Amino acid sequence: MSEHWLHDYIVLALRLNKATQQSTPYAPVEEYQPPEWYEQVLHEPVQSADLLVRNAAELQETLPLQPFESRRRAYLAKQLRALETVSRLLQGEHFSLQEEVRRCYDLDVDWLPESVFEQAYALYDEALPGSGSIAERLRQWQASFTLPAEKTSLLPSFFQRALTEAMLRTQALVLLPANTQTEIQTIVDRPARAMARYLGNHRSRVYLNPAVPFPLTDLFYVLCHEGYPGHLAEFVLKDEVLIQQKGYLEEQVLLPCSPRYVISEGLALLAHEMVFTPGEAEAWLAEHIYPDAGICPVNFDLTKIQRAKDLLFGVSCNAAWLLSEGRPDDEVLAYLMRYALVDEETARRELASLQHPFSRGNIFTYFHGRRLLSPLLQGPQRKVRLYQLLTEQTSPSDL
């Protein structure tokens, strides 16, 4: 009985992924899917929202009848609540932003006081070289470490070196399967500077867009986030432990707008701090990357700069609140530029992203995911807790 239920659950998730992807301007690159069920959904038309709502309701009704242990059942119930909510959004139903985030992401959120962002500015002020405004110092610092256009051909090799180092350091924290493999591939048709996809059988791919300016100080911030011990480590270990060893077939597909994203993004934002102590990443980059790039580093504190960057994810959370209240675009744009310390072009891209259907709630997974997990990943139990988060089904309210 449970296998039939899991089939219906995965097919619903795949159908919702297909329906929601229609509203995004970029087609997804390949990612791991249950092949037999993925093929079924791939070749069928997009299903009506009414049918998807009914399917979600049927799964919710029959979940208590499945022979799942209690923790797995509770996790699936929260995932299903997210699927039902996305189905109802597709049907045209409106939820307040607070209720949408609670139902989809298992988070209780509210407006963040601007004093949170003042903490970020204080960190920037302590960590950045130079004088003048924090925004100007930040731009100058980023520009000084950005690879010039004539040297972008070096970027894939820099990514490979840093990825190898991140995987070695991750192995010292959690044991990855022996056949874990990750390759670097360049792309030109995505706006992101880097993204990762799990391909199955412990194989992954990191996509790099050399056309997007890339400060080399972000190498580990990006590769630990997208790769190890971030997203790809989670995919590999959940495949090994949950799918292969325990038979949790539901882990074969990523649900849109679901509680798992909060745990995943929180882990990914903390990933570089799990494998590098303060000062270590700067020293490694100065030895292995900057000489080939022709960069002479100045004194700065990378850990503080990256923590400040993470705090300013909260600015986009507040921008989502402003949009939910119907504030005009110009007001939201000005808010982003003022508090996130970004130029108008960057702010407009962020505004456009927040206005995409199903995107406004997703922004909360970063700031709140990091804040939720940060206390757990400190102290002598950090390795044990990291392994648990990478290998167990966990929802935000469990923590």
Side-chain angles (χ1 to χ4, degrees):
M1 182 179 182
S2 61
E3 187 172 336
H4 178 73
W5 188 94
L6 286 169
H7 166 270
D8 292 348
Y9 171 90
I10 291 174
V11 166
L12 174 62
L14 291 170
R15 285 173 171 169
L16 279 170
N17 273 321
K18 185 172 184 174
T20 56
Q21 283 164 2
Q22 286 199 125
S23 65
T24 60
Y26 298 98
V29 291
E30 69 265 59
E31 67 180 50
Y32 183 47
Q33 304 280 12
E36 65 277 21
W37 300 335
Y38 178 61
E39 285 297 316
Q40 170 190 335
V41 175
L42 182 66
H43 298 295
E44 68 182 20
V46 174
Q47 301 298 299
S48 72
D50 291 349
L51 175 64
L52 297 173
V53 170
R54 288 199 303 274
N55 290 163
E58 290 163 2
L59 286 164
Q60 286 175 316
E61 289 173 11
T62 52
L63 176 59
L65 305 177
Q66 308 310 310
F68 301 139
E69 53 93 12
S70 58
R71 177 169 178 156
R72 184 183 181 190
R73 185 181 296 111
Y75 177 83
L76 285 166
K78 291 167 188 170
Q79 299 288 99
L80 262 179
R81 181 176 65 174
L83 289 181
E84 182 221 6
T85 303
V86 174
S87 301
R88 289 165 64 180
L89 287 167
L90 284 168
Q91 202 177 35
E93 188 168 344
H94 175 77
F95 294 93
S96 71
L97 180 57
Q98 193 166 45
E99 181 66 10
E100 182 180 326
V101 174
R102 180 183 296 119
R103 292 179 62 88
C104 284
Y105 298 102
D106 196 33
L107 280 175
D108 285 309
V109 297
D110 212 332
W111 176 269
L112 293 168
E114 280 79 11
S115 57
V116 171
F117 313 141
E118 296 288 344
Q119 297 171 33
Y121 309 149
L123 287 169
Y124 275 142
D125 196 34
E126 294 170 13
L128 287 168
S131 58
S133 73
I134 291 171
E136 185 56 36
R137 287 160 63 192
L138 180 59
R139 278 192 285 272
Q140 289 175 354
W141 175 78
Q142 288 172 331
S144 70
F145 285 93
T146 297
L147 204 60
E150 65 271 17
K151 291 191 175 183
T152 54
S153 61
L154 297 173
L155 206 49
S157 68
F158 291 165
F159 261 59
Q160 189 59 64
R161 289 182 214 172
L163 178 65
T164 300
E165 182 68 14
M167 292 182 73
L168 286 171
R169 287 172 177 260
T170 299
Q171 283 278 26
L173 284 178
V174 292
L175 191 62
L176 298 170
N179 62 341
T180 301
Q181 295 180 8
T182 303
E183 63 183 38
I184 306 289
Q185 181 174 315
T186 56
I187 53 171
V188 293
D189 60 342
R190 299 294 191 280
R193 58 182 180 176
M195 62 180 73
R197 289 294 179 266
Y198 184 55
L199 307 176
N201 299 316
H202 307 148
R203 295 179 305 106
S204 308
R205 187 173 293 142
V206 173
Y207 295 90
L208 158 69
N209 187 346
V212 178
F214 194 97
L216 294 176
T217 47
D218 279 354
L219 264 179
F220 287 118
Y221 185 81
V222 170
L223 284 170
C224 291
H225 182 121
E226 297 290 343
Y228 303 89
H231 291 322
L232 294 182
E234 184 185 4
F235 280 123
V236 167
L237 287 168
K238 284 184 174 172
D239 186 3
E240 175 72 14
V241 175
L242 293 180
I243 300 172
Q244 304 302 329
Q245 295 178 15
K246 293 188 174 182
Y248 285 17
L249 299 182
E250 66 271 20
E251 290 294 323
Q252 291 179 312
V253 62
L254 269 179
L255 277 59
C257 311
S258 64
R260 176 173 169 174
Y261 280 92
V262 180
I263 306 301
S264 292
E265 296 302 347
L267 272 172
L269 282 178
L270 289 160
H272 63 99
E273 292 188 21
M274 295 300 298
V275 291
F276 287 97
T277 59
E280 278 191 324
E282 295 99 307
W284 191 94
L285 291 166
E287 181 180 353
H288 298 280
I289 300 296
Y290 298 153
D292 288 348
I295 289 172
C296 297
V298 293
N299 189 41
F300 60 91
D301 188 323
L302 188 57
T303 300
K304 286 183 179 179
I305 290 170
Q306 290 169 337
R307 286 178 179 171
K309 181 190 299 188
D310 290 349
L311 281 170
L312 293 186
F313 274 112
V315 178
S316 292
C317 296
N318 281 0
W321 284 112
L322 293 173
L323 288 171
S324 76
E325 295 168 3
R327 303 289 186 91
D329 287 2
D330 286 350
E331 181 182 343
V332 181
L333 193 71
Y335 188 90
L336 285 165
M337 292 173 66
R338 176 182 177 184
Y339 287 104
L341 307 180
V342 295
D343 58 27
E344 183 174 344
E345 181 183 353
T346 304
R348 286 194 181 281
R349 284 199 302 269
E350 182 64 13
L351 176 62
S353 175
L354 291 170
Q355 290 173 325
H356 285 154
F358 310 106
S359 291
R360 68 174 190 169
N362 182 260
I363 192 60
F364 291 90
T365 66
Y366 297 91
F367 179 90
H368 291 278
R370 192 192 197 286
R371 186 159 74 170
L372 183 67
L373 297 188
S374 184
L376 300 175
L377 295 175
Q378 311 294 330
Q381 294 298 308
R382 63 198 292 270
K383 287 175 66 171
V384 173
R385 288 172 178 156
L386 175 65
Y387 184 76
Q388 289 172 336
L389 290 166
L390 288 170
T391 58
E392 295 178 0
Q393 292 179 321
T394 306
S395 298
S397 57
D398 298 336
L399 305 175

